[in-house]
Amino acid sequence: MNHSPQETGLVIEGGELFAPESFGVASIAAIAGVTTWIGEGATDRLAGLPGLKTIDARGMRIIPGLIDQHIHFLGGGDANGPLGRVPELTPDMLLSTGTTTAVGVLGVDNETRDLRLLLRKAHELRNSGVSAYLYSGGMPLPARHLMGSVCADVSFIDQVIGAKSAVAERLHPNRSWHDLAELAGELMRARALSGKAAVLHCHVGSLPEAIEPLMRLVTELGMPPDQIVPTHVNRTPDFSPVFGQAIAFAKNGGTIDMTCCVSRIDGNLAGVDVPEAVKHCLEEGVPLGNITISTDGNIPATVRDIKGRALGYRVVPPSVLFRDVMRLVHESGLALEKALTLATTNVARVLGLAGRKGQIALGHDADYVLLGPDDSIQMVIARGRIVFRRGEQGA
C-alpha cells in the first residue's frame, strides 16, 4: 500500500465522537492531515475546498487511532527456534486493526535483526500511512545504538523515541548495575537535550528481581518515574513477583504497561488477562492514567492442547490491541472513553506525543477509527487519509 500525501480536506459527519472523552454526535473536519474543526457545520466551513472528501458516519462511533508502544516490526520468535520465526509486519496488518501509531522493538535476537533494519522498516511503514517510531537499544546491555550512543540516537533521529532494555530476563540477565545506570543517564541527557520523552521501555522477565533494578534508578539516580515503563508486568505470582511490584511502582507515579498477548486466551499460562489485570490495579488504587496496554505483536504464541502441552505456534496479530480495549468495556465494565485511554492518551503522554497523537482534538493529527454498531472497524483514517475501508479488496 503506497500512499500519496494527505487529502486536502476531509469531513466526517454524524458520528458519535469519543475523543476519547464522549462528545455525543459531532462532525469533524481535517485539512492536510490535521484536525481543524469539531462541532456542527464542518461541511459548510470547508465548502469549495479542492479535493474535499465527505464521510457519512451516522450510526457509527468515531475513536482516535490507537497507539501500540511495543510491537515487532521485523517479526519475533527469536527464542523459539527456526520454526518460531515470524515474518516482517506489513502496514495493512496495523492499519486494518485501528492502530495508526506504533513503536518498533528488537527482541531476543539483536544479531540478525538490528537497529538499522528496524529504522529502515519504520521508514517503510511511515511511507504507507503508519506513524512509525522505534526504540534504540535492545535486550542486551551495554545498549546498542546507531549514532555512537543512545543519547545521540534519541537526540538526532526523528523516529527514535527512547530506548528498550531488559531486566530479570534469563536470556539477557543484564545484572550489571553500571550498564543499566549508564543507559538511564544517556536517556536523561537525551531528554534534556532533545525535549523528547526519551523513555526507558523495559522488558521484564521471570527472574526474581523483577523491576527492583528500575526502582533503584529512581531512588539512587533520581530518574523520573514517568521516564520508565516496565512492560509484560501482568504476570501470575508463580511466574514472578513483578505484578505486585508494578502496582507499587504505579502508585508512586510510574506508568506500567500490560501486554495483550500475555494472556491465557493467547496460550500464555503465566499471564493475567488484560481485563482482569486492569481491574485488579484499579481496585488496588492505581490511577487509570498510570496504566497502558500494548501488544508485543507479530511474535509466535504457543498453541497448547487441553492438558497444556505445546503443539506449535501462531502469530500474535496487532488486532489484540483493539480486541482488549473492547474486552475492557465488555468484560471489566469500563466505559469506552476510559478503556480507550490505555491505548491512546496515556500512551501519547508516555511517549511525548501528547499534542499530536492519542486524541481527536484541534491541531492533532487526523487519526480516526470508525466503528460499526457491532464494534467492528469500518474505516481507518491516518493523518487525514483513508487507509482502510471494510469490504474493499484486502480488507
Side-chain angles (χ1 to χ4, degrees), residues 182-206:
E182 177 60 30
L183 175 58
E186 288 207 43
L187 288 169
M188 288 189 283
R189 293 197 301 276
R191 175 178 277 198
L193 289 170
S194 69
K196 290 182 177 179
V199 65
L200 173 58
H201 184 88
C202 208
H203 165 107
V204 184
S206 60

Side-chain angles (χ1 to χ4, degrees), residues 178-253:
H178 174 273
D179 289 341
L180 183 62
E182 177 60 30
L183 175 58
E186 288 207 43
L187 288 169
M188 288 189 283
R189 293 197 301 276
R191 175 178 277 198
L193 289 170
S194 69
K196 290 182 177 179
V199 65
L200 173 58
H201 184 88
C202 208
H203 165 107
V204 184
S206 60
L207 297 177
E209 60 262 34
I211 66 168
E212 289 175 358
L214 301 181
M215 293 188 284
R216 190 177 170 190
L217 294 176
V218 176
T219 57
E220 294 189 25
L221 296 187
M223 190 174 193
D226 69 353
Q227 200 174 355
I228 305 170
V229 179
T231 190
H232 315 323
V233 301
N234 47 317
R235 297 288 195 171
T236 57
D238 58 343
F239 178 87
S240 162
V242 64
F243 197 16
Q245 291 183 13
I247 287 172
F249 180 70
K251 289 171 71 172
N252 285 315

